[in-house]
């Protein structure tokens, strides 16, 4: 089929925009992997409201965004970030409060998520149970995916304040699901079924092998 398309350029010149979320009032927040958080008000001018140091990771950096289920009341936004600490990459989830065109009240919600130049996961989203779900990559160490003492290669589930829900499957652990390589998509059906998309090997072990998991 052939048809004319009407396209409006909202913002250009971006480098690896990674996540985009919509506030109840229509504002748009999005991340760029190399360290910037942007805000667009009513399809107007895009403004940088937070900057992180560049991580140096190829697949890591400033990744997932999520708005608190009660965002209209508390203005809390959550950000998944890769940091280079000493000689090692680490992934963390921070919470901030949106205050106009800047982010304030920075807090670490969860840290000590192993990172690497590749396989950092990074998708975060609140589920229908209002818990925060976090995908983590195996940090190019496949054995960590099966290791319940490691947060790598997992889907995590925590309360908005970073505490561990009492009904998690493993006692006193944020781990919800394990055995993952590099999950980077999560969504729920109308019935509450969690579905995750996962990157499979694209070269080192043959081509393809991406997965959709329930």
């Amino acid at each position: 089929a052939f048809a004319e398309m009407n396209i409006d350029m909202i913002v250009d010149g971006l480098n690896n925009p990674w996540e985009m979320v919509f506030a109840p009032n229509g504002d748009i927040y999005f991340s760029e992997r190399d360290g910037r958080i942007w805000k667009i008000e009513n399809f107007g001018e895009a403004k940088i409201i937070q900057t992180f140091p560049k991580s140096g990771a190829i697949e890591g950096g400033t990744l997932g965004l999520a708005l608190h289920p009660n965002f209209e009341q508390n203005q809390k936004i959550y950000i998944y970030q890769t940091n280079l600490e000493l000689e090692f990459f680490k992934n963390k989830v921070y919470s901030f409060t949106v205050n106009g065109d800047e982010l304030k009240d920075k807090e670490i919600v969860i840290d000590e998520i192993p990172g690497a130049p590749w396989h950092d996961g990074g998708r975060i989203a609140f589920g229908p149970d209002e818990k925060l779900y976090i995908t983590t990559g195996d940090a190019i160490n496949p054995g960590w995916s099966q290791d319940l003492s490691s947060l790598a290669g997992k889907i995590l589930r925590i309360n908005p304040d970073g505490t561990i829900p009492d009904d998690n499957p493993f006692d006193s652990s944020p781990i919800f699901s394990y055995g993952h390589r590099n999950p980077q998509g999560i969504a729920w059906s109308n019935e509450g079924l969690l579905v995750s998309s996962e990157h499979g090997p694209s070269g080192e072990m043959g081509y393809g092998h991406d997965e959709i998991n329930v």
Side-chain angles (χ1 to χ4, degrees):
F2 296 91
E4 293 292 327
M5 295 184 64
N6 295 320
I7 299 174
D8 292 326
M9 183 75 72
I10 305 300
V11 59
D12 62 358
L14 300 175
N15 181 22
N16 291 118
W18 206 88
E19 178 75 282
M20 183 166 55
V21 294
F22 296 83
N25 68 350
D27 290 346
I28 300 172
Y29 298 88
F30 69 92
S31 62
E32 280 187 279
R33 198 165 63 190
D34 60 357
R36 289 182 289 273
I37 305 295
W38 294 76
K39 178 182 179 181
I40 303 174
E41 296 178 324
N42 299 318
F43 288 95
E45 180 185 356
K47 306 171 183 176
I48 298 173
I49 60 172
Q50 179 70 29
T51 302
F52 291 93
K54 292 185 179 181
S55 68
I58 296 170
E59 293 182 346
T62 306
L63 304 178
L65 300 179
L67 303 182
H68 192 283
N70 295 321
F71 180 78
E72 284 184 288
Q73 288 74 41
N74 61 26
Q75 297 291 295
K76 291 187 77 70
I77 187 171
Y78 294 75
I79 301 169
Y80 188 103
Q81 171 68 26
T82 307
N83 300 293
L84 182 59
E85 299 179 0
L86 299 178
E87 298 179 357
F88 303 98
F89 289 100
K90 295 285 186 180
N91 292 302
K92 295 177 168 63
V93 176
Y94 296 98
S95 70
F96 292 86
T97 301
V98 178
N99 186 346
D101 292 336
E102 61 180 340
L103 300 184
K104 291 188 174 182
D105 306 325
K106 178 181 177 180
E107 294 183 2
I108 296 175
V109 178
I110 187 170
D111 60 2
E112 297 302 323
I113 299 171
W118 301 274
H119 300 189
D120 287 288
R123 193 72 62 190
I124 63 177
F126 280 93
D129 54 5
E130 298 192 348
K131 307 300 184 185
L132 182 61
Y133 290 76
I134 303 159
T135 74
T136 73
D138 65 10
I140 57 176
N141 284 277
W144 287 354
S145 294
Q146 301 290 341
D147 182 354
L148 291 177
S149 69
S150 171
L151 298 184
K154 310 295 191 296
I155 297 176
L156 311 179
R157 177 179 184 259
I158 58 175
N159 294 315
D161 63 358
T163 58
I164 297 171
D166 294 335
D167 58 347
N168 269 14
F170 304 101
D171 188 42
S172 302
S173 171
I175 295 172
F176 181 77
S177 176
Y178 68 99
H180 298 280
R181 179 180 183 271
N182 196 22
Q184 288 199 340
I186 43 179
W188 287 264
S189 70
N190 291 334
E191 292 74 34
L193 178 68
L194 173 60
V195 181
S196 173
S197 61
E198 184 161 344
H199 292 201
S202 57
E204 71 270 27
M205 296 172 63
Y207 293 94
H209 308 296
D210 295 339
E211 296 179 351
I212 301 293
N213 293 303
V214 298

